Amino acid sequence: MGPKLFSFTKGETTYSFRLLPIGGYCAMEGEDEESDNPRAFSKASVYKRMIIVVAGAVMNILFGFALMMITLLPNEVFSSTTVSSFAPYSFTAVTGLEEGDEIIEINDYKINTSTDFSFAIYTMPIKEVDGSTLEIYKEDCLFCLRNHCATISQSANEEQIKSIYDIWVKGFDKIIGASDKDSAYSLMCEYIDKISEALSLDKVDTYPEIEEKETRKRFNTSVTVIRDDKELVLEDVDFFTYLDSATEEPALSIDFYVEPIEKSFTTLISQAFKNTVAVTRMVWSSFVGLITGQFGINEVSGPVGLASAITDVASESLKVGFMKAVMSIVYVMTVITINLGVVNMLPFPALDGGRFVMLLIEAVFKKRVPQRVEGIINGVGLALLLLLMAVITFKDIWVLIFGG
């Protein structure tokens, strides 16, 4: 975009290379001006112009689908949304989730893929919940047992670690089934002793104290599942919540495992399609979140912010391996191209969605909006978009220099 640096003409088309490498466009004769050429855009029938207007967004989505397939290709299996087992400190198991549950909705957000699941989980607001409940007490007991295992296993060999883990899992099952706080605490102490015995160590002198508070911060929400072929709504499911040492803010971790989906050509196509739809929904929901105030200006980025984000993704992924970094960048590209397709079809002047609205008006009333009026509307829309881009770019540069 921007001022033309050089150009050449081939056939009836002029190709130009411009100063700003932030996007591209195609301009057809009769699109933004009057033309007497019978082959001009303005002379085409309404349905043909509609097809042309939506073609760019459709190609963005199709390209996103192709990129999604590339990101999924290295996977040995795909992630389902059916719970297979729990980590032995699981908050979700304490608060209602069970093995075999197929998760279909979280916090009123429909779940069809792992992408839907991730978006629903990581946009969940933190809540203040009653800190005196039996469920919270069990979570604390499990957490203390977990910390004891982590401390004591540092000096253990591989065989001993396996033995400790087996005891830990049994203790987890017992504490989850405790009927009251005293039983939960006694079971925690009992399994702390059993873990010490497994390493031929003396019993601990002092057991951890469970500090009860009036309220606790939790990532807590309703979860709808399919259990025994019936739909069931689980209220107040706690997700594993801990204090992030870097930010000192509550953070969330997934404390259960899901069943794998066997990889085949059919499941590859199916998962690529479902995840493309999931990213499209994610983009749309994010846009709605901006309007409703769920997300703020800090969550919006332009080209500068995107470049910074891609750099961060690549550097983190390189710690795992080169191919991981490549696939991570491809996934970010997937989200960006689908984002462009969705945003471009928003019914806003100057965007293709705004042009499509004009064509709908023409199709309904059998009369075209005067080109001068349409030009003014699109001009105002473009000015607002450029102003928004300037504000976001300034914000991105500010964050890049001063942090945030």
Side-chain angles (χ1 to χ4, degrees), residues 127-383:
K127 289 183 180 179
E128 292 277 354
V129 301
D130 184 356
S132 63
T133 64
L134 174 59
E135 287 75 20
I136 294 287
Y137 195 88
K138 288 180 183 179
E139 290 172 4
D140 288 344
C141 288
L142 289 173
F143 200 64
C144 288
L145 185 61
R146 172 183 184 263
N147 289 343
H148 180 73
C149 287
T151 302
I152 205 168
S153 63
Q154 291 177 0
S155 58
N157 58 38
E158 188 174 336
E159 186 177 337
Q160 289 173 324
I161 288 174
K162 184 182 183 305
S163 177
I164 290 171
Y165 184 80
D166 291 340
I167 296 170
W168 183 18
V169 171
K170 290 177 183 177
F172 165 74
D173 291 334
K174 292 285 187 181
I175 292 171
I176 281 183
S179 58
D180 54 57
K181 294 179 182 180
D182 289 339
S183 298
Y185 188 80
S186 296
L187 286 165
M188 178 197 73
C189 297
E190 177 185 337
Y191 279 88
I192 285 176
D193 288 340
K194 287 185 177 183
I195 289 168
S196 298
E197 288 172 13
L199 295 181
S200 301
L201 299 174
D202 296 332
K203 289 185 178 182
V204 298
D205 295 327
T206 305
Y207 297 106
E209 290 187 11
I210 305 300
E211 182 185 1
E212 293 195 65
K213 299 179 180 180
E214 287 187 8
T215 61
R216 291 289 184 93
K217 287 188 175 181
R218 286 287 186 270
F219 288 97
N220 173 289
T221 190
S222 63
V223 178
T224 304
V225 302
I226 301 294
R227 182 183 295 172
D228 299 326
D229 297 323
K230 295 179 181 178
E231 188 172 306
L232 179 66
V233 179
L234 307 175
E235 300 290 353
D236 297 321
V237 175
D238 281 351
F239 287 83
F240 186 75
T241 308
Y242 65 98
L243 196 65
D244 190 307
S245 58
T247 63
E248 295 188 352
E249 291 290 331
L252 180 151
S253 180
I254 306 303
D255 58 12
F256 58 86
Y257 305 96
V258 296
E259 293 180 359
I261 298 173
E262 188 177 343
K263 182 181 177 181
S264 67
F265 179 75
T266 303
T267 55
L268 173 63
I269 298 297
S270 172
Q271 288 296 305
F273 175 77
K274 288 179 179 179
N275 278 285
T276 301
V277 173
V279 172
T280 304
R281 287 181 63 217
M282 179 178 72
V283 170
W284 175 252
S285 297
S286 300
F287 178 75
V288 172
L290 282 170
I291 295 175
T292 59
Q294 182 183 2
F295 308 119
I297 190 67
N298 286 334
E299 279 73 49
V300 183
S301 286
V304 175
L306 284 174
S308 177
I310 292 171
T311 302
D312 291 342
V313 168
S315 61
E316 285 297 314
S317 300
L318 274 172
K319 295 176 183 178
V320 179
F322 177 75
M323 283 308 298
K324 176 65 175 176
V326 171
M327 288 300 110
S328 295
I329 292 172
V330 173
Y331 184 77
V332 174
M333 289 170 60
T334 305
V335 175
I336 291 172
T337 187
I338 293 174
N339 182 87
L340 285 172
V342 173
V343 171
N344 206 25
M345 284 308 297
L346 294 176
F348 188 83
L351 296 177
D352 286 339
R355 293 177 181 272
F356 191 79
V357 170
M358 295 293 181
L359 292 172
L360 278 177
I361 294 172
E362 181 179 347
V364 171
F365 294 100
K366 308 299 181 184
K367 185 178 181 181
R368 184 171 182 175
V369 176
Q371 200 152 18
R372 180 174 174 275
V373 174
E374 186 176 349
I376 292 172
I377 293 172
N378 286 332
V380 172
L382 181 60

Side-chain angles (χ1 to χ4, degrees), residues 17-31:
F17 189 87
R18 294 174 178 260
L19 182 64
L20 305 176
I22 59 173
Y25 73 96
C26 57
M28 291 165 282
E29 183 172 349
E31 184 178 5

